[in-house]
Amino acid sequence: MAHATPLAPELHTLLCRMPKAELHIHIEGSLEPELIFALAQRNGVALPHPSVEALRAAYAFTDLQSFLDIYYAGASVLLHEQDFHDMAWAYFQRAAADHVVHAELFFDPQTHTERGVAMGTVIHGLRSACERAQAELGISSALILCFLRHLSEEEAFATLEAALPYRPHFIGVGLDSSERGHPPEKFARVFARCRELGLHIVAHAGEEGPPAYIESALDVLKAERIDHGVRCTESPALVARLAATRMPLTVCPLSNIKLCVYGSLAEHPLPALLDAGLCATVNSDDPAYFGGYINQNFVETFAALPQLGRAQAYQLARNSFEASFVPAAQKQRWVAQLDAAFA
Ligand code: ADE
Ligand code: ZN
């Protein structure tokens, strides 16, 4: 086990208070056990675990799949627009406390449509929370629709078709769920169609899957950001390519530990990625399941890795704005806020 050095109080405060963007958060992964139980009761949904404590105790994962099985079961309580709103609103309140000024939220419509929930219910519920976050918390946000890669490309096409009436409400598409055995090229045609539609493209790659999946996410899907991407470290040529193109990686340190990608945070490659000049960012992935929201990710990772200090904190926050899908003028305003926080 890593022996985490206590974080200097000034660095702790800086990490928590600096303005930041969160670019890798599955909104269904922000569903806390308390809210799962409240929604189950409100909607008359039976749960396999008898209590909040029993559910939380089941969060002992051995790999990505062992997590996904529980994560999809948790999402079964989401039925109505209000449920999606309440889930996202709870996230935004936590994000505001963590000084997140912009969030790009993943959602998994197939998890819901396959249970008979309409696409419009999902998207309208999430959108209303996004609008409320802007109005009441000053957080800007956007939605990214993710295709489940364990399902077929045909099903991804059907999902895209169902989402098109809501096209103004999401800015891009992503690829998530079980990575091994489901390479990006399985979805080549549907992502080509998404590009024609002017959607931003991101993809999970190199979380559990090999560096070759990162390459095919770039070359075949034309991804503009790689979610996770940490296994790029196994290919020096790929690291050099990612650095040369400033291809963002949305890294999720606590997720990587909970899903046993690394044995401890002390072994995490975040410092090496930054040293290599990559546009790495820190994110929470599924914070209700992995032990913390974005600031917890920053604080625990910096505490475990003494190579990370003030300069890396600044770089990570700056990268989060650089990697976001917002106009350049807005990025500049946030970078100016960031500079003020470090002045
Ligand atoms: N869906 C939710 N979290 C995920 C992760 N970390 N990897 C792949 N799919 C996911
Ligand atoms: Zn993820």
Side-chain angles (χ1 to χ4, degrees):
M1 264 307 283
H3 42 276
T5 10
L7 208 48
E10 311 81 65
L11 183 55
H12 187 283
T13 303
L14 200 54
L15 290 169
C16 293
R17 297 219 185 128
M18 66 184 183
K20 52 185 75 75
E22 177 148 56
L23 306 177
H24 186 159
I25 158 83
H26 301 263
I27 199 60
E28 293 91 347
S30 73
L31 206 45
E32 292 285 344
E34 288 78 5
L35 189 52
I36 291 179
F37 272 79
L39 293 176
Q41 191 165 37
R42 186 159 98 187
N43 292 335
V45 175
L47 290 173
H49 296 92
S51 66
V52 164
E53 293 71 32
L55 177 57
R56 230 186 218 112
Y59 293 178
F61 313 116
T62 50
D63 60 7
L64 176 57
Q65 193 60 50
S66 66
F67 154 69
L68 290 170
D69 294 341
I70 285 197
Y71 161 83
Y72 294 130
S76 69
V77 299
L78 298 160
L79 293 182
H80 308 295
E81 220 175 282
Q82 187 69 47
D83 305 335
F84 291 92
H85 176 102
D86 291 350
M87 170 174 67
W89 179 242
Y91 164 72
F92 282 125
Q93 288 175 290
R94 289 178 181 266
D98 281 0
H99 294 254
V100 170
V101 295
H102 176 71
E104 297 181 5
L105 273 47
F106 295 147
F107 69 109
D108 285 341
Q110 287 159 295
T111 307
H112 314 300
T113 53
E114 71 179 9
R115 297 180 291 110
V117 177
M119 182 67 79
T121 300
V122 179
I123 294 182
H124 283 141
L126 296 177
R127 277 306 309 170
S128 68
C130 291
E131 283 155 23
R132 187 174 172 194
Q134 181 69 72
E136 295 184 29
L137 303 169
I139 298 183
S140 83
S141 61
L143 297 175
I144 295 178
L145 181 159
C146 287
F147 300 117
L148 298 181
R149 70 201 303 158
H150 67 274
L151 301 177
S152 68
E153 186 179 49
E154 199 183 346
E155 287 163 293
F157 265 116
T159 302
L160 178 62
E161 201 58 42
L164 282 185
Y166 311 98
R167 172 67 188 85
H169 299 310
F170 59 101
I171 60 161
V173 292
L175 186 63
D176 66 0
S177 191
S178 324
E179 187 181 6
R180 284 202 195 105
H182 302 284
E185 48 270 35
K186 177 178 164 185
F187 296 91
R189 291 172 312 157
V190 74
F191 275 80
R193 178 73 190 121
C194 291
R195 293 199 305 275
E196 282 171 8
L197 291 164
L199 288 157
H200 285 293
I201 305 292
V202 299
H204 282 54
E207 177 186 17
E208 282 192 343
Y213 283 19
I214 301 175
E215 283 163 354
S216 57
L218 297 173
D219 296 331
V220 181
L221 305 187
K222 317 281 184 209
E224 299 164 74
R225 285 198 306 244
I226 297 293
D227 297 312
H228 294 293
V230 286
R231 284 194 60 193
C232 71
T233 55
E234 294 166 35
S235 165
L238 179 56
V239 169
R241 174 184 179 182
L242 295 169
T245 53
R246 290 291 289 164
M247 175 58 58
L249 298 191
T250 61
V251 177
C252 307
L254 288 177
S255 165
N256 292 156
I257 306 313
K258 287 292 186 309
L259 301 187
C260 307
V261 175
Y262 302 105
S264 74
L265 280 174
E267 297 161 50
H268 199 279
L270 184 63
L273 297 174
L274 290 173
D275 283 349
L278 267 75
C279 184
T281 63
V282 165
N283 307 269
S284 69
D285 205 5
D286 300 283
Y289 293 90
F290 297 152
Y293 288 76
I294 191 167
N295 279 0
Q296 194 72 25
N297 273 270
F298 272 107
V299 166
E300 287 196 36
T301 305
F302 275 62
L305 292 158
Q307 312 93 299
L308 298 177
R310 186 182 166 91
Q312 289 77 15
Y314 176 84
Q315 192 63 56
L316 287 162
R318 194 182 167 108
N319 289 349
S320 76
F321 297 127
E322 179 183 335
S324 68
F325 293 135
V326 301
Q330 181 59 64
K331 292 184 189 187
Q332 279 167 15
R333 282 194 286 274
W334 285 325
V335 170
Q337 282 180 28
L338 180 66
D339 288 345
F342 277 77

